[in-house]
Every structure is written in structure tokens, then in C-alpha cells.
Amino acid sequence: MSELLESKSIGTSLRRLDGIAKVRGTARYAFEQPVDNPTYLHPVQATIARGKVSRIDTAEAEALDGVIAVITHLNAPKLARTDDAEYTVLQGPDVGFRGQFVGAVIAETPETARHAASLVTVGYETAEHDAQLTPDHPGLYAPEHVNAGYETDTSAGDVEAALAEAAVVIDHTYTTPTVHNNPMEPHTTVAVWDGGRLTLYDSTQGVHPVRQTIAPIFGLEPEDVRVIAPHVGGGFGSKGLPHAHVVLAALAAKCSNGRPVKFALTRQQMFSLAGYRTPTIQHVRLGAHDDGRLTAISQDVVEQTSRIKEFAEQTAIPARMMYAAPNRRTTHRVAALDVPIPSWMRAPGECPGMFGPEVAMDELAEACGLDPIELRVRNEPEVDPESGRPFSSRHLLECFSEGAGRFGWDQRSAPPRSRLEDGWLVGLGVASATYPFMRIPGNTARISFDNDGSYTVQIGAADLGTGTWTTLTQIAADALDCPVELVRLEIGDTSLPVASVAGGSSGTASWGGTIIAAADAFRKEHGDNPASGAETQAKAPVDPDNERYAMHSFGAQFAEVRVHADTGEVRVSRMLGVFSAGRIINPRTARSQFIGGMTMGIGMALHEESVMDARFGCIMNHDFAEYHIPTNADIADVEAIWLDEIDHHAGPLGARGIGEIGIVGAAAAIANASYNATGIRIRELPLTPDKFLS
């Protein structure tokens, strides 16, 4: 067990240290980085879903005043590595999905580049395409593994026999649609070549992962690529790994006569080029005794990937460990379609994967005549059902108990559709939330002492707007036993020591633990009175408790939903999340993260759906006019609280991460509340009004 860091600054609601700069507009994002004499890039995108470019005419675009170059597969610089089709940009005529890059214009202004791109004419040899996911798709296959290296399928006991013998069986299919990450700041890259060295100002969740990905594509050593990202305007997973636009910007900078190239995806372009959450079709079966105690859990998931690059989301993994049942089965099957490449989106796996099982648990509770919280109490496991390991900390039932009292759960109406207020049917619903604890190894931090008595703390981490500038400063202050005013944090640059991606709720624990290790090494080397210029660099030690315990965060999501009896309009009037996530570093930024996740959960439940027109292989509602996300008017009373706890097995911070769990279970709680309000069970997201009027 790691020695726990004592808290002085940690746990206080320190205001965001980057807040003033952001309010004043002096915090520079990728596109705003100052470069000399920049050029601007606009892409030409494929208008077919599958086939080849047969001809391309760039003459009219090239003749336009202000155009510097037009690049296509016929004249683009050759890449050193082309084994990843997503990054094999303009290297041949093949088209793998609608929206793929088939050319680009470099010009003096963004307007000129965009206009010139519209003048490029492209001819195609079209091939038959398939862009429609179905539960019985003939091309379904089992991937070697699913995201994060999890096993594709798992099985324990005899699920079929248990279901055949069960007194109560729930057997339904639940679906979640394609949804898209839509951070406020679009995906942006500014590329600059200086001889054989490449600098990228990139909107990314990890500067070092971008460098590690991009360097071999251009035949460079990692130290010849510098990636800079001090401020990022949101990511939600879509900026966790670089996408094709980063490669295109760097390619274009090779063709711009030595001038920097600025490239920002439009909102519409992001719907085909920056990842998305795969749609899921979840066949969930629960078997139980009359008293609600589970005898079998089965979740079989069908989802999609792109034909040109596989990404298989780990949708069924929460079912493997959430509740006690002697017979368990999970499977993933994937259809490779002629569509853009799916990728990470906030809480990949857990977010969609908890929707089906948590709605099914609500259905089981009703079938057994039990309160939904009592059903979860009866199925609480003593150890992790999948691994058999003890939990490092599992306080799910405390979350339900605390939340039930605060939310007024005892006012829930039974039977459904029995509470009508001013024309609105009102109901309450609940669901569980979970997310695994991850602490990524290999991070390094550097600490130096300056002659003014301050400490400079350097680590190549990223702040997506989540509060990293603030929380890492607090952690460093406690680790060095000094006021926060004496810590100068430097992040967001590959010139700083290596840091992992900001993803999977792993950032603070991974980077913070590394800073603590560096502070310990600094004190051992230089003592409590270091000389000016004293410097130490260190990595975090491996934590053996990772192999001894099952480490997860948990939560209880409560929702009050109002459905208009005549129009079917759905409103979430109240929502409460109660979370168990270990030590909270900064309550102010933590509350923001929890509520942000819950707000995304409301969007998932009520609004978000990327509509694929399979005839053309494209998303039709690819802008904010038609892709609906929650606005202020949609968010009423949303509150998040947490248990006061420290996970002594989760490294020296005792914190398990909070970025993902707020969205998990939120949509299921809202769906369950809508059933309690209306008596109509909707198993297909989003919960649009027409579904309550059919």
C-alpha cells in the first residue's frame, strides 16, 4: 500500500488558476498560437462512401488569387509509415468512407482556402457500400479484443440453464444510437516545419501520445516532433488520440513554402473525421429467484466499426462486475461498415454498456415487486464477481442510501402513471454508475528550485478545461510542503517530461502520483533547504495493489422526469448524483466534472442521435442546428455530491478519478423515471416525444 500524501491544499476549493486568463481571453488555444506568416488549410472531402478517385481537376482552384498549393494523392509528399489507414492521408486513390480527405487547399486566408476547395472537381469509381448496422448483420465477427485490451467474451457457469430454471426472466433488447463528441473548441492543428523538425500546436488530450503517433508516420525521431497544447477547449475522448487532420496539416506544411499551416475542422467536418460513439444493440437477459436475487446475467452486444480501421468498444464490461450472480456471460460482435472510424467518447464502454442492464434491473424490480434500490441491495457482491478480488473500496449502497434521503425517493409513485401535475406525468428513477480506476505507468515529472523560493514543477500533462492546472498545483504544494503560491506548474508541451493521455479518468492519479514521487526524490536528494537551481526528475513507482484489488468508482443516479400527457415532451426536472470516487482533490472542479458528465447524460437520454443515411453513408444532422445537445433551458436542478472517503489502495493520492463516472447510468435513470411517469417502457435512446405517443 502506498503511503498517503497528507492534505493541506488538497481538498480545498481553490479557484481555477487558469480562470482569469480564460475569462480575459489571454489563454491561447491551438488556432490562436502566434506563428509568423501563417497559411490556412481547407480540405476536399470524398462524396462517396466507398470506391476510388478516378480523376481530380485542381486547375480552377490553383488559378484563384491567394491559393498557394492544392495537394491530392497525385502530388502529396509520401509518408514513411502507412500501416494505419486512418493516418494514410492522400497516399492513394482509395476511399473508405464519405468525408475522407481526397485533397486540400493551402491559401493566404481561410475564406480563400474554403472557396478554392469548392472549385476542385473529383470523379469517382464507386463501389457497393454498406453503412447500416443491424442485429443480424451477416458480417458480424468477434474482434480479438475490445478497447483497452479487455477480453471480447467472458463466461462463468451455465447461463442458459440458469435462465431456463429462473423464476423470473427479463429478456429484452436495448439500443443506443451513434452519438458524437462535440467539444466547444473544434479539432485544430497548426503545423510548422523547421528543416527536419516538426512543431504542432494541437488541440489534444495528450501531447506525448500525439508525438509518439506522428513521428514514425513522417519518419522522424520522437525528439524531432514537438507538440504544444497548454489549453484545450474540451475533448470528451475525441482528442485522446490524433486523427487524420493532424497528418493532413503536417503534410500541407511540407507544401507551403516553409510557412506554418493552420487547420481547424468545421463543426460539420468533425462528424466524419474526429471519432464518435458507436451505436450499440444490447440483448440483455436477467434470471432471478422470486425474491429478486440474480441467478444469471447475460449481455450480448452488437456494434459497428469502420472497414478501414477497427475500434471495438468494450460495452459489456460493466455487466461482468456490477452485481452478484453465479452465471454470467458477455459477448461483443462487430460489423465492419463503410463508415467513419469510431473512437473514444466519455466513459467508453461503461456509458452505453450500463444503459441496457440498468433499465433491465428496473424491469426486474417491477417483476419481483421490489423497490429498485432494494433489488440492488440484494444483489450487492462481496467481492468482484469477475476476478474474485476484494474491492479496494465499494460504497455503492451508501451512495443509494445517501441519495434516497436527499432526493425524496420515498415519494416515488407506484404503480407507474399515477402522478399527474398540471398536465405533466411525473416519475422518479434510479440507476447505478461505475467506472474502473486506472493509473497509467511511465509518467515522469521534474522539479526544480528557483532563487525566489519557488518550485517549478514540469510534466507533459494536458488540461481540457477539467482543472488540471489547479489540481496538479495543489498536489505539488502538498507534496513539497509549501503554499500553492510557490508552485509554478508547466504542462502541455512535449519539451516537458513524458505524461500519459488525459483519458479514462486516469490523469490526476497518474500525473499526481508522479509529482509526489518526484517531490519525494527531490527532498531525498536536496533536503528541506535546497540550493537555487536544485533539480530532480523521477517516475512514479509501480503500485502492487493494482494486482491485489478490484478498483472501481461507484455512484447512484437519481432522476425526476416530467412527460407531458398530451405532447410527449420530456423534461428532467431534478437530478442528483451521489458518487464514491476516493479522495476529492478540489471540490469546486470536482463538482463541475460530475455535473458536466450528468448533463451529457441528459443529452444522451433526451436529445443526441447522429442519424445515418445508409444510402449515402453520411450523418445527416451534422451541425448544432439538427444535432441537439442540452442547453441551459434543458438543465434544471442538477446536483452532485460525493462520499467523504479515501481509497488507501489507489496510490498516494487515494483518488480514483471523476471525469467519466458522471455520465454513466444517467440515461438509464432518466429512462427508468420516464417509465415510472408514464407506464411506457422505452428501450431505445433517445427518449423522444413520439415514443410516448405511439
Side-chain angles (χ1 to χ4, degrees):
M1 183 178 70
S2 302
E3 184 177 349
L4 198 69
L5 180 68
E6 293 186 6
S7 173
K8 294 180 181 178
S9 177
I10 291 173
T12 64
S13 292
L14 182 66
R15 291 183 179 274
R16 291 175 180 265
L17 299 180
D18 53 333
I20 292 176
K22 288 180 175 177
V23 169
R24 291 177 175 172
T26 60
R28 288 196 177 109
Y29 294 83
F31 200 79
E32 301 164 329
Q33 293 289 342
V35 291
D36 294 332
N37 199 21
T39 64
Y40 299 88
L41 176 69
H42 196 86
V44 180
Q45 296 176 267
T47 56
I48 64 169
R50 189 181 183 191
K52 289 185 177 183
V53 174
S54 59
R55 61 177 178 83
I56 187 162
D57 185 352
T58 62
E60 191 175 357
E62 290 169 329
L64 193 67
D65 187 38
V67 169
I68 296 166
V70 181
I71 53 177
T72 71
H73 71 279
L74 299 174
N75 64 349
K78 295 304 177 185
L79 299 174
R81 187 170 177 176
T82 57
D83 56 329
D84 188 321
E86 180 176 10
Y87 304 132
T88 307
V89 175
L90 301 185
Q91 299 300 291
D94 292 341
V95 174
F97 60 89
R98 189 182 180 103
Q100 178 183 316
F101 295 136
V102 295
V105 174
I106 309 164
E108 296 289 349
T109 68
E111 295 82 4
T112 301
R114 185 169 190 154
H115 177 51
S118 72
L119 300 178
V120 176
T121 58
V122 185
Y124 300 98
E125 294 178 9
T126 60
E128 185 177 353
H129 73 271
D130 179 7
Q132 185 70 55
L133 178 67
T134 58
D136 55 352
H137 192 284
L140 289 176
Y141 69 96
E144 184 176 347
H145 57 76
V146 292
N147 182 47
Y150 289 104
E151 291 183 48
T152 300
D153 300 343
T154 59
S155 181
D158 189 335
V159 166
E160 300 302 330
L163 288 169
E165 297 172 0
V168 183
V169 174
I170 301 299
D171 184 339
H172 294 295
T173 297
Y174 307 83
T175 64
T176 63
T178 301
V179 290
H180 277 78
N181 323 55
N182 270 292
M184 184 178 294
E185 179 198 21
H187 291 243
T188 302
T189 301
V190 180
V192 186
W193 284 96
D194 182 7
R197 296 178 62 85
L198 173 64
T199 298
L200 298 169
Y201 300 95
D202 194 39
S203 182
T204 176
Q205 294 175 222
V207 291
H208 285 279
V210 169
R211 181 170 75 172
Q212 291 300 121
T213 300
I214 296 300
I217 291 173
F218 287 91
L220 300 175
E221 295 298 322
E223 56 268 23
D224 291 328
V225 177
R226 184 180 180 189
V227 184
I228 301 169
H231 300 287
V232 180
F236 313 119
S238 68
K239 298 176 183 176
L241 293 171
H243 296 292
H245 68 280
V246 182
V247 178
L248 181 60
L251 271 178
K254 280 183 167 285
C255 307
S256 61
N257 301 321
R259 296 169 61 183
V261 171
K262 289 194 170 189
F263 182 24
L265 294 182
T266 66
R267 185 63 58 183
Q268 291 188 348
Q269 289 165 357
M270 286 171 57
F271 278 76
S272 57
L273 293 163
Y276 58 93
R277 197 191 301 281
T278 176
T280 71
I281 302 168
Q282 308 173 28
H283 182 203
V284 178
R285 296 179 295 167
L286 304 178
H289 297 297
D290 287 328
D291 63 1
R293 298 186 191 277
L294 288 165
T295 59
I297 299 174
S298 175
Q299 185 177 14
D300 299 305
V301 179
V302 170
E303 53 197 33
Q304 74 184 36
T305 188
S306 173
R307 190 187 303 272
I308 69 168
K309 182 177 181 178
E310 182 183 276
F311 177 84
E313 186 150 331
Q314 71 276 29
T315 306
I317 65 164
R320 299 174 182 177
M321 49 66 62
M322 197 63 213
Y323 300 114
N327 305 284
R328 301 184 313 280
R329 159 193 160 104
T330 65
T331 67
H332 298 84
R333 296 295 178 266
V334 177
L337 306 179
D338 301 302
V339 296
I341 303 160
S343 187
W344 300 339
M345 186 169 177
R346 197 172 200 167
E350 283 76 14
C351 175
M354 285 288 278
F355 174 70
E358 286 302 301
V359 175
M361 286 290 282
D362 202 67
E363 299 195 59
L364 178 62
E366 182 180 48
C368 295
L370 292 173
D371 180 272
I373 295 178
E374 175 58 27
L375 177 69
R376 288 163 173 83
V377 171
R378 296 186 183 190
N379 290 286
E380 176 72 356
E382 295 182 0
V383 297
D384 178 8
E386 182 181 24
S387 68
R389 297 173 187 166
F391 288 102
S392 66
S393 174
R394 179 168 171 134
H395 299 295
L396 175 62
L397 299 188
E398 289 92 327
C399 291
F400 276 113
S401 178
E402 179 71 18
R406 286 176 176 260
F407 199 69
W409 182 251
D410 59 347
Q411 301 302 309
R412 177 176 179 267
S413 299
R417 203 180 178 89
S418 57
R419 183 178 168 190
L420 181 66
E421 298 179 1
D422 298 326
W424 294 83
L425 295 162
V426 184
L428 303 186
V430 75
S432 299
T434 188
Y435 199 78
F437 169 66
M438 288 181 278
R439 189 172 166 209
I440 300 175
N443 291 272
T444 303
R446 183 187 304 124
I447 297 176
S448 59
F449 184 70
D450 303 302
N451 56 17
D452 62 357
S454 67
Y455 296 88
T456 299
V457 179
Q458 299 175 315
I459 185 168
D463 190 335
L464 317 182
T466 53
T468 300
W469 281 105
T470 307
T471 56
L472 291 190
T473 299
Q474 292 176 270
I475 292 166
D478 282 357
L480 292 164
D481 195 21
C482 72
V484 293
E485 293 79 11
L486 293 182
V487 174
R488 288 202 294 257
L489 181 69
E490 295 181 7
I491 62 173
D493 194 326
T494 52
S495 67
L496 305 173
V498 173
S500 53
V501 68
S505 295
S506 66
T508 299
S510 301
W511 309 326
T514 305
I515 289 172
I516 293 168
D520 290 343
F522 183 91
R523 290 295 183 220
K524 289 178 182 177
E525 184 175 352
H526 303 291
D528 293 333
N529 297 294
S532 178
E535 182 178 290
T536 297
Q537 183 167 301
K539 293 183 177 182
V542 175
D543 189 348
D545 280 357
N546 285 339
E547 303 300 323
R548 298 171 182 165
Y549 294 90
M551 298 190 185
H552 302 263
S553 290
F554 295 94
Q557 301 272 22
F558 292 82
E560 179 183 83
V561 166
R562 294 171 181 263
V563 181
H564 198 278
D566 296 326
T567 69
E569 179 185 349
V570 187
R571 305 286 294 176
V572 178
S573 49
R574 286 193 300 136
M575 198 164 183
L576 170 67
V578 186
F579 301 101
S580 166
R583 180 192 254 177
I584 298 300
I585 306 301
N586 184 313
R588 183 189 301 269
T589 58
R591 181 176 180 274
S592 176
Q593 281 294 286
F594 286 134
I595 289 179
M598 293 168 68
T599 300
M600 286 186 73
I602 292 173
M604 176 184 177
L606 302 186
H607 307 298
E608 295 188 56
E609 180 180 17
S610 302
V611 180
M612 167 63 71
D613 188 332
R615 298 172 302 168
F616 305 108
C618 63
I619 298 297
M620 302 303 295
N621 56 332
H622 53 179
D623 54 39
F624 283 162
E626 296 183 88
Y627 183 90
H628 295 165
I629 59 173
T631 63
N632 288 351
D634 298 301
I635 307 303
D637 181 3
V638 178
E639 188 54 85
I641 61 174
W642 50 86
L643 304 183
D644 184 12
E645 62 165 323
I646 296 175
D647 189 336
H648 292 274
H649 301 288
L653 278 175
R656 291 195 300 270
I658 57 176
E660 324 283 335
I661 195 170
I663 193 174
V664 179
I670 293 167
N672 293 338
S674 73
Y675 173 76
N676 182 245
T678 66
I680 300 170
R681 180 68 70 179
I682 307 298
R683 304 183 181 95
E684 175 187 3
L685 292 180
L687 305 172
T688 49
D690 57 297
K691 294 171 184 173
F692 294 97
L693 299 176
S694 60

